[in-house]
Amino acid sequence: MLSNTRAASIVPPTEYSQPRSRETGQSKLVRPAWLSGRGLSNSNKELMSTKMLHDPPSKPERSFEIVARRIAAMIQASYRIGQRLPAERDLAKTFGVSRPTVREAILSLAMAGMLKVRSNSGVYVISRQEAPDVHKLEGFGPFENLEARQLIEPQIAAIAAQRGTEAIFAQLAEALAMMRWEHAQGREADTSDHRFHMVLAEATGNGALVSISDSLWRAQTESGIWQEIHNHMQMEDYRPMWRRDHEAIFEAVQARNPRKASLAMTRHLNNIRDALMEASKAKSMAKSTATTKPTISRGKIR
């Protein structure tokens, strides 16, 4: 139970605390004008209340799309066909974003036909079109999505280690066994990999975390840029690492060690990020663009 002194210091979330009055020594609590509707007519107050309750949130802009528009504007203002863009690190500094975001933006513009990535050379302008169709690319950028996973999934693994049951451990082991079998057949283990991460989320007993985890996974696989990078990855080089990562996560969860489970998941997601960075380098991406030119059709990369 709170003491009277501490209870008196708690300000309701709908009010702001102002500086203490010199006369009384007490804080004056003032309701924010936007909340009280001060200065608004009754009809506008009703409209504001209705919109706040019923209007769906606007669709968030994707980081790579914002940067892609800025690069496109820069090209239209200052670059000619055949001219090379500044280095990735310089663009990141200019726009105040991370290098992965710049890389996603460049890939989206390359897929839209505005830029060309050349091995051991750089990124060149091949079109000065006014409105590259990067908005048609599905999903968030893979690095943006992965950052969200890095914030959430290590905590999911830690909770799973605390709350996991023998039935959960058996399901994780089954997903791992399927992953090993699929890799032995030279196949990607997308289904078993997805199942492994979903079982971890289910182990928390928190339906919201299950939904978030599934949403992040699907957003990753539906991302047009993710698919483009994934097509250039030599997956057989990464499969042993993916298996070791999942085995380490499973062992930590089964041992009911939250700290090790969280660290193992963090290491796994960092390995994915490193693999994506390597696969999306200009040298790697340029190998296939010389033979195939992806186009945007009906919102998907074909």
Side-chain angles (χ1 to χ4, degrees):
M1 187 171 180
L2 296 175
S3 65
N4 290 336
T5 301
R6 186 180 176 192
S9 69
I10 296 178
V11 179
T14 57
E15 298 176 319
Y16 290 154
S17 177
Q18 300 295 324
R20 292 179 180 274
S21 167
R22 291 183 179 178
E23 291 78 12
T24 64
Q26 299 295 317
S27 295
K28 182 181 179 182
L29 302 180
V30 180
R31 183 178 295 273
W34 66 265
L35 186 61
S36 63
R38 189 182 305 150
L40 297 176
S41 66
N42 288 336
S43 60
N44 284 338
K45 287 179 184 178
E46 183 177 351
L47 178 62
M48 182 179 74
S49 175
T50 301
K51 287 179 70 62
M52 290 176 67
L53 287 174
H54 301 293
D55 275 9
S58 58
K59 185 178 180 180
E61 286 195 288
R62 299 167 296 183
S63 297
F64 79 84
E65 190 174 348
I66 296 170
V67 175
R69 285 203 304 269
R70 296 179 69 183
I71 292 176
M74 178 185 74
I75 290 170
Q76 290 154 15
S78 308
Y79 284 78
R80 303 182 305 275
I81 300 295
Q83 196 169 357
R84 187 175 67 178
L85 289 188
E88 186 180 276
R89 62 179 176 275
D90 295 328
L91 289 173
K93 185 176 181 180
T94 297
F95 298 131
V97 297
S98 67
R99 291 182 66 175
T101 298
V102 169
R103 190 167 297 186
E104 289 173 342
I106 288 173
L107 289 176
S108 70
L109 290 172
M111 296 165 74
M114 190 175 208
L115 300 176
K116 183 175 181 62
V117 181
R118 295 179 182 170
S119 179
N120 298 321
S121 181
V123 180
Y124 291 81
V125 178
I126 60 173
S127 170
R128 300 181 73 252
Q129 57 187 307
E130 292 185 2
D133 291 336
V134 297
H135 68 282
K136 291 185 179 179
L137 291 170
E138 293 185 351
F140 290 97
F143 294 103
E144 186 174 10
N145 193 76
L146 190 57
E147 183 177 45
R149 291 185 65 189
Q150 288 174 313
L151 291 171
I152 294 171
E153 292 199 52
Q155 297 304 315
I156 286 178
I159 298 172
Q162 294 173 312
R163 301 179 182 175
T165 63
E166 292 302 322
I168 287 291
F169 300 154
Q171 291 179 59
L172 289 173
E174 182 180 356
L176 264 180
M178 178 60 70
M179 187 182 300
R180 295 189 192 100
W181 183 84
E182 288 177 305
H183 284 175
Q185 305 302 310
R187 295 161 49 185
E188 296 310 310
D190 291 338
T191 301
S192 54
D193 197 348
H194 184 196
R195 180 57 184 156
F196 184 90
H197 288 268
M198 290 308 302
V199 171
L200 284 175
E202 291 164 3
T204 69
N206 186 315
L209 288 177
V210 174
S211 178
I212 291 170
S213 184
D214 185 55
S215 176
L216 287 173
W217 182 277
R218 294 184 186 281
Q220 173 179 286
T221 57
E222 292 169 2
S223 166
I225 299 177
W226 165 275
Q227 293 169 11
E228 181 68 6
I229 297 174
H230 196 268
N231 288 339
H232 303 149
M233 295 178 72
Q234 300 296 322
M235 294 308 298
E236 59 273 13
D237 296 340
Y238 295 103
R239 288 169 189 155
M241 180 170 62
W242 301 154
R243 288 196 301 273
R244 289 194 299 270
D245 284 353
H246 287 86
E247 287 164 357
I249 295 167
F250 171 69
E251 290 168 4
V253 169
Q254 189 178 41
R256 301 190 182 281
N257 190 320
R259 182 175 179 276
K260 282 189 176 181
S262 177
L263 290 174
M265 180 63 78
T266 297
R267 185 166 53 251
H268 173 50
L269 296 173
N270 286 342
N271 284 339
I272 294 175
R273 184 182 185 277
D274 291 345
L276 286 178
M277 287 295 287
E278 180 63 30
S280 60
K281 281 183 179 178
K283 183 176 180 179
S284 300
M285 298 299 293
K287 290 178 181 178
S288 63
T289 54
T291 56
T292 59
K293 183 180 179 180
T295 58
I296 300 176
S297 174
R298 297 181 182 177
K300 293 185 178 181
I301 304 302
R302 304 279 184 192

